[in-house]
Amino acid sequence: MNATGTSPAESRLSRMLYLAVLVLIFIAPSQRAYAVHPRYGPFITPADVLLVLVAAIWIIGLISGRRLRQVRRVPQAAWALVAVAALSATKAVDFKCALVEIVQIGLYFVIAFMLLVDILRRRDQVQTAVNVLAAATTIIVVWGLVQYLTEPDPMDVCASFGNRNVYSGYLAIVLPLLYGLSLHLGDRRWQWWWLGLVAVGIVTMLSGPLLWCVLGALIAISAGHERTTLVKCLGAVVIFVVLMPWVFPRSYEAAVHELGNLYEEGQVYKVAGRADNQGVRQVRVVKKRWVEWQPALNMLADNPLLGVGAGNYQLRIGEYYGLLPDVKKSEPDTSNLYLVIGGSMGLAGLVSLVALLSYFWRLAGGLWLRVETDWERGLAAGLAGSIGAMVAANFFTSLLVRGTGLVMILVFALIEIIARQRWTSPSSGNN
C-alpha cells in the first residue's frame, strides 16, 4: 500500500484506464463501423468496442477494490430512459432493433457516463481530456475543410462521419465548448488555435439549421462574458452572414437557400408521382424532414404511453403518413430526435429524455458558481453553450447516433464533474 492506501496494482490499473479513456475520447468522433447487416446493422465502431472492454475492466476493478459505493450514480432520468426503452420493446415488431437500441442507451447513458465521471477525477485529467477532444476536432475540421474545397456534393463534406448532418451535429457539440474556453485562456497560442477551429468549423458546416444553432450558442456565451466580447461576436456573425453569398457560397446555399426553400429538389430525393420529359416534378412537395413531423406526431398519438418500440421508428413511420406526400428517399439524419423518441418510446420516453437534458442544462447554468481558475470558467461557459446548442440541434437531427452519442455523453460527464467537483490530488491512486 502507498501513502494514499492504494496498492501498486490498483494504481497501475487506474493509469491504464485513464489512458484508455483518452484514446476513447480521441476515436469517438467517427462513424466508421463494421456493419453486421449493411442496412439494418447493428453498426459497431472501434469506440464502441473499446468502451465495452474498458467498462468491463473498470467494473471488475470496482468490485475487487470494493469501490462500487463510491461511484457517482447517473441521474434518475437516465435510469428512467433505459427502463422505458426496455418496456417499449414489448410493442416492437422487430425485437432485434429494439434490443440494439436498449443496449446503446444503457451503454452510453449509464456505463459510459459513470466511467467518465469516475476516471476523470483530477483537474489536470479533465484538462487533458478536453485537449484530446480538441486535437481530434482539429483533425476533423481540417479534413472537413479539404472536402469543403474539393467535394462538389455537400453531403460529402463530412470528415470521419457519414454525412454533413452528423458532421455538423458533432461541431454543434464541440465548437461552443472550445469557444467558451478560448474566452478565458491566458495562453494566446491556445486561444487562437481554438478560435481558428471555431471559425473554420463554422464555415464547413453545411447543415443549415445546425449552423444557426452554433451561431446562437456563440452569441449566448459571449453575452455572459463581457460587453466587448458580445459586440465582437455579433459583429463577426453579421459580417459572416453578409459575406456568405460571395465569400462562402456553399454556406449560403445550406444555411439560407436550402433552409429557406421548403420544397424537395433534385433527382436524389424523389417522390411518388409523374415528372415531365426533363425529369422535373410537376408537383412541388414539401421536404420530408418537415413533413415527417406530422406522421411522427400521429405515431405518438396512436401509441401515447410506450410508442411503437425502441429502435422501431423507421420501420413504422411509413404507416402514419395518411394522405401526406411521402418522399421515397429523404436526406439521412434529418429526423427530429424528440419526435423519434416520442414515436418509438412514447410520452414516457420523451419525458425521460427532456428531464435528462433539463437536469444537465440546469447544472450547466450554475457551473460558474463552482469554478476557481480561468480555465474552469472557460470550461463552464463552453459547457453551458454546448448543452444549449445540443438541445436546439436535436430538433433538426439526432445526436444520439454513432460518432456523436459518446461525445454528447462526455459533455454530460464534464458538467457533472465540474458541478460535483471534489478534486483529488495528483498523488492519489485514483488516477
mmCIF file of all heavy atoms in Angstrom, residues 25 63 78 85 113 128 251 316 345 356:
data_model
loop_
_atom_site.group_PDB
_atom_site.id
_atom_site.type_symbol
_atom_site.label_atom_id
_atom_site.label_comp_id
_atom_site.label_asym_id
_atom_site.label_seq_id
_atom_site.Cartn_x
_atom_site.Cartn_y
_atom_site.Cartn_z
ATOM 1 N N ILE A 25 -11.844 8.962 -26.125
ATOM 2 C CA ILE A 25 -12.293 10.311 -26.489
ATOM 3 C C ILE A 25 -11.765 10.696 -27.867
ATOM 4 O O ILE A 25 -12.481 11.315 -28.671
ATOM 5 C CB ILE A 25 -11.829 11.324 -25.422
ATOM 6 C CG1 ILE A 25 -12.549 11.066 -24.093
ATOM 7 C CG2 ILE A 25 -12.062 12.758 -25.881
ATOM 8 C CD1 ILE A 25 -12.007 11.869 -22.933
ATOM 9 N N ILE A 63 -15.256 -3.785 -8.314
ATOM 10 C CA ILE A 63 -15.677 -4.888 -7.435
ATOM 11 C C ILE A 63 -14.505 -5.372 -6.592
ATOM 12 O O ILE A 63 -14.618 -5.545 -5.371
ATOM 13 C CB ILE A 63 -16.253 -6.045 -8.273
ATOM 14 C CG1 ILE A 63 -17.542 -5.589 -8.975
ATOM 15 C CG2 ILE A 63 -16.532 -7.261 -7.387
ATOM 16 C CD1 ILE A 63 -18.095 -6.594 -9.958
ATOM 17 N N ALA A 78 -31.896 9.225 -16.414
ATOM 18 C CA ALA A 78 -31.183 8.290 -17.286
ATOM 19 C C ALA A 78 -31.656 6.863 -17.037
ATOM 20 O O ALA A 78 -31.877 6.089 -17.982
ATOM 21 C CB ALA A 78 -29.675 8.397 -17.060
ATOM 22 N N ALA A 85 -37.145 2.379 -22.401
ATOM 23 C CA ALA A 85 -36.710 1.713 -23.632
ATOM 24 C C ALA A 85 -36.953 0.210 -23.546
ATOM 25 O O ALA A 85 -37.424 -0.414 -24.510
ATOM 26 C CB ALA A 85 -35.236 1.998 -23.891
ATOM 27 N N PHE A 113 -21.231 7.134 -18.957
ATOM 28 C CA PHE A 113 -21.307 8.315 -18.091
ATOM 29 C C PHE A 113 -20.603 8.059 -16.758
ATOM 30 O O PHE A 113 -19.761 8.856 -16.328
ATOM 31 C CB PHE A 113 -22.775 8.679 -17.857
ATOM 32 C CG PHE A 113 -22.974 9.818 -16.903
ATOM 33 C CD1 PHE A 113 -22.873 11.128 -17.338
ATOM 34 C CD2 PHE A 113 -23.269 9.587 -15.569
ATOM 35 C CE1 PHE A 113 -23.043 12.186 -16.462
ATOM 36 C CE2 PHE A 113 -23.447 10.640 -14.678
ATOM 37 C CZ PHE A 113 -23.332 11.939 -15.127
ATOM 38 N N THR A 128 -6.678 17.537 -19.730
ATOM 39 C CA THR A 128 -6.089 16.701 -20.775
ATOM 40 C C THR A 128 -7.163 16.088 -21.663
ATOM 41 O O THR A 128 -7.009 16.017 -22.887
ATOM 42 C CB THR A 128 -5.230 15.591 -20.150
ATOM 43 O OG1 THR A 128 -4.200 16.171 -19.357
ATOM 44 C CG2 THR A 128 -4.604 14.716 -21.224
ATOM 45 N N SER A 251 -21.835 27.795 -47.848
ATOM 46 C CA SER A 251 -22.511 28.034 -46.578
ATOM 47 C C SER A 251 -23.831 28.743 -46.810
ATOM 48 O O SER A 251 -24.842 28.431 -46.166
ATOM 49 C CB SER A 251 -21.615 28.864 -45.649
ATOM 50 O OG SER A 251 -20.386 28.210 -45.419
ATOM 51 N N ARG A 316 -41.702 1.782 -38.789
ATOM 52 C CA ARG A 316 -43.146 2.003 -38.676
ATOM 53 C C ARG A 316 -43.622 3.363 -39.183
ATOM 54 O O ARG A 316 -44.822 3.545 -39.375
ATOM 55 C CB ARG A 316 -43.561 1.871 -37.205
ATOM 56 C CG ARG A 316 -43.256 0.519 -36.557
ATOM 57 C CD ARG A 316 -44.181 -0.576 -37.073
ATOM 58 N NE ARG A 316 -45.572 -0.238 -36.870
ATOM 59 C CZ ARG A 316 -46.241 -0.403 -35.714
ATOM 60 N NH1 ARG A 316 -45.612 -0.917 -34.663
ATOM 61 N NH2 ARG A 316 -47.517 -0.085 -35.622
ATOM 62 N N MET A 345 -40.789 5.519 -28.194
ATOM 63 C CA MET A 345 -40.837 5.191 -26.765
ATOM 64 C C MET A 345 -41.945 5.929 -26.023
ATOM 65 O O MET A 345 -42.013 5.889 -24.794
ATOM 66 C CB MET A 345 -39.477 5.503 -26.129
ATOM 67 C CG MET A 345 -38.360 4.632 -26.693
ATOM 68 S SD MET A 345 -36.677 5.214 -26.271
ATOM 69 C CE MET A 345 -36.752 5.283 -24.501
ATOM 70 N N LEU A 356 -33.801 14.514 -18.584
ATOM 71 C CA LEU A 356 -32.349 14.324 -18.539
ATOM 72 C C LEU A 356 -31.628 15.552 -19.079
ATOM 73 O O LEU A 356 -30.669 16.042 -18.466
ATOM 74 C CB LEU A 356 -31.966 13.082 -19.350
ATOM 75 C CG LEU A 356 -30.496 12.652 -19.282
ATOM 76 C CD1 LEU A 356 -30.109 12.280 -17.859
ATOM 77 C CD2 LEU A 356 -30.252 11.480 -20.237
#
